[in-house]
Amino acid sequence: MTKQTTNKKLHSKSVLRQIRLLRVSEEITQEILAFLEKVDSDLAEQLAQRLVNIKTRGVLPKTYTNKRLLQLYKYVHKAIQSQSKDMYTILSPKLIDIANNEIGFQVKDITEALPIAVDVVTPPKAMLSAVVTTNPLQGKVLKDWVAGWAEGKEVRVLEEIRKGIVEGQTAETIVTRIRGTQRANFADGILSISGRGARSLVRTTVNGIATAARELLYTNNKDIVKGVQWVSTLDSRTSPICRSRDGKVYPVDSGPRPPAHYSCRSTTCCVLKSWKELGIDLDEVPIGTRPAVVNGVAGDVPETMTYAEWLKEQSEDIQKEVLGKKRFEMFKNGATLDSFVDEKTGKQKKL
């Protein structure tokens, strides 16, 4: 079996850990979706009952003097705010567990990767809990993420109610547009948008909390950790910003970190100091490999290969699929993936 460098071992385990985290986020998502299925069913039932009693004759009162309509708006607000609080209650303890588990995995990986015994300083559990409740992910703490999700849901529901009333639709029609039909498993109602948003919210926060937990560990162990490497998935679905950052090593206490966007699949990996830097009298082993999708087939590539280098080795069809025709031509003529992305916003530049 080919020997692996210490950092290669950590890189490989970080990729496997990220796969497991995606599975965990899917399990949490299913729990959240089951919760939403129940509360949305109750919401639709209440809307049906309350809308029947609203007599507007197809005209939305400009002064909002219809007491029953005002009561309906207040009900929708209260019901969705309650959903938001319940979702936070479901999510926060699971994310705290993820943060604690991530530290455990990282400590185990680091100690097993090094040829000598080292003392890895772990952050206090109280600090890991604070990561979940107070650590900002892309500028927002968990409560803000959930509140934003709830606000979007409320706006969509109320807008559908207003639209239905103005158009003179029946209560049944309005509720069906909001809830959807059982025949389509309710995927054709506007509430399905909130379901998809919940999925993205879970995946994004799980990734962000795991990253934040690792950051605490790396910061506490600067004597052995030299940097933090961005690790992106090597396939055609990777976002422009993650393509441009793959393989880059940032200082322990600065630089961008995943998630770079909603549903980001990227992760981080600590880069340990060389054995010589750590005072270990051993020769470094040769460079190993990392997993990738090579022209549509799962395989391995050198561990130092970045997304840009990987993309250059793919077929032109895959390059066009990833970049689009214009950027493909520019990439072919020497443009870098960095040049396609605004690093400040994380968005792809317009051509």
Side-chain angles (χ1 to χ4, degrees):
M1 182 180 291
T2 304
K3 287 185 177 180
Q4 294 180 322
T5 64
T6 300
N7 286 321
K8 164 54 188 170
K9 291 177 183 177
L10 294 174
H11 187 288
S12 296
K13 289 183 177 181
S14 72
V15 172
L16 291 174
R17 177 62 183 153
Q18 186 66 0
I19 291 171
R20 293 183 184 122
L21 277 174
L22 289 173
R23 290 173 182 164
V24 169
S25 70
E26 184 58 28
E27 290 172 2
I28 297 173
T29 297
Q30 291 307 314
E31 183 175 343
I32 293 291
L33 292 179
F35 159 73
L36 291 178
E37 171 65 26
K38 181 182 182 305
V39 294
D40 284 347
S41 177
D42 294 340
L43 176 64
E45 185 178 336
Q46 283 293 318
L47 288 178
Q49 293 175 10
R50 293 166 187 253
L51 279 166
V52 167
N53 296 323
I54 294 176
K55 307 296 183 182
T56 63
R57 298 179 183 176
V59 179
L60 186 66
K62 292 182 180 179
T63 58
Y64 293 90
T65 55
N66 188 313
K67 291 183 179 179
R68 286 175 178 165
L69 188 58
L70 282 172
Q71 287 172 355
L72 177 61
Y73 292 163
K74 289 178 181 178
Y75 165 74
V76 170
H77 174 75
K78 186 176 180 180
I80 294 179
Q81 286 301 308
S82 177
Q83 291 181 16
S84 172
K85 291 177 182 178
D86 289 342
M87 184 183 288
Y88 181 83
T89 300
I90 294 171
L91 270 177
S92 54
K94 293 183 183 298
L95 292 174
I96 290 173
D97 286 344
I98 285 171
N100 280 284
N101 289 338
E102 190 62 28
I103 292 296
F105 280 113
Q106 290 291 319
V107 171
K108 183 173 181 291
D109 290 347
I110 290 172
T111 54
E112 288 182 351
L114 288 169
I116 60 169
V118 294
D119 290 324
V120 180
V121 181
T122 58
K125 288 192 175 183
M127 190 176 290
L128 291 174
S129 296
V131 160
V132 174
T133 56
T134 64
N135 184 70
L137 302 175
Q138 295 183 314
K140 297 186 292 185
V141 297
L142 178 61
K143 277 191 175 179
D144 291 337
W145 279 92
V146 177
W149 168 86
E151 182 180 355
K153 182 172 186 175
E154 182 178 339
V155 167
R156 285 189 292 273
V157 170
L158 292 181
E159 182 59 31
E160 206 62 39
I161 291 173
R162 293 188 186 104
K163 181 179 178 181
I165 291 173
V166 168
E167 294 178 359
Q169 296 172 356
T170 65
E172 182 181 0
T173 299
I174 295 173
V175 173
T176 298
R177 286 165 62 123
I178 292 172
R179 178 71 170 126
T181 61
Q182 192 167 17
R183 181 181 65 257
N185 200 26
F186 304 109
D188 52 347
I190 64 159
L191 289 178
S192 66
I193 298 173
S194 300
R196 293 193 293 273
R199 183 182 295 276
S200 293
L201 187 152
V202 170
R203 177 175 286 188
T204 305
T205 53
V206 166
N207 195 359
I209 294 302
T211 299
R214 289 193 294 270
E215 283 296 299
L216 286 176
L217 186 70
Y218 301 160
T219 302
N220 285 343
N221 293 277
K222 287 184 179 180
D223 56 328
I224 60 174
V225 178
K226 181 162 59 175
V228 179
Q229 185 177 37
W230 187 289
V231 182
S232 299
T233 304
L234 300 186
D235 66 20
S236 60
R237 295 191 295 125
T238 301
S239 68
I241 188 66
C242 292
R243 293 176 213 152
S244 67
R245 289 176 178 171
D246 181 53
K248 290 185 177 180
V249 177
Y250 300 99
V252 174
D253 51 4
S254 63
R257 301 289 191 264
H261 50 79
Y262 256 142
S263 296
C264 182
R265 296 178 297 156
S266 294
T267 186
T268 57
C269 173
C270 71
V271 177
L272 299 182
K273 294 179 179 179
S274 68
W275 291 355
K276 183 177 180 180
E277 290 171 318
L278 291 171
I280 303 172
D281 188 19
L282 289 173
D283 294 329
E284 302 290 339
V285 298
I287 292 172
T289 60
R290 66 181 289 194
V293 176
V294 183
N295 288 318
V297 180
D300 288 328
V301 296
E303 69 172 277
T304 54
M305 179 176 279
T306 63
Y307 193 98
E309 293 168 335
W310 169 83
L311 190 59
K312 286 179 181 178
E313 294 193 0
Q314 307 312 300
S315 67
E316 289 193 353
D317 286 341
I318 289 180
Q319 291 179 4
K320 289 177 183 176
E321 177 188 343
V322 170
L323 299 173
K325 189 175 180 180
K326 289 184 179 179
R327 291 184 180 83
F328 159 71
E329 293 295 340
M330 294 168 66
F331 184 68
K332 191 176 179 181
N333 291 322
T336 64
L337 294 183
D338 287 0
S339 67
F340 299 146
V341 176
D342 184 331
E343 183 64 33
K344 290 184 179 179
T345 63
K347 296 181 179 179
Q348 191 160 247
K349 295 177 181 176
K350 293 182 179 179
L351 296 180

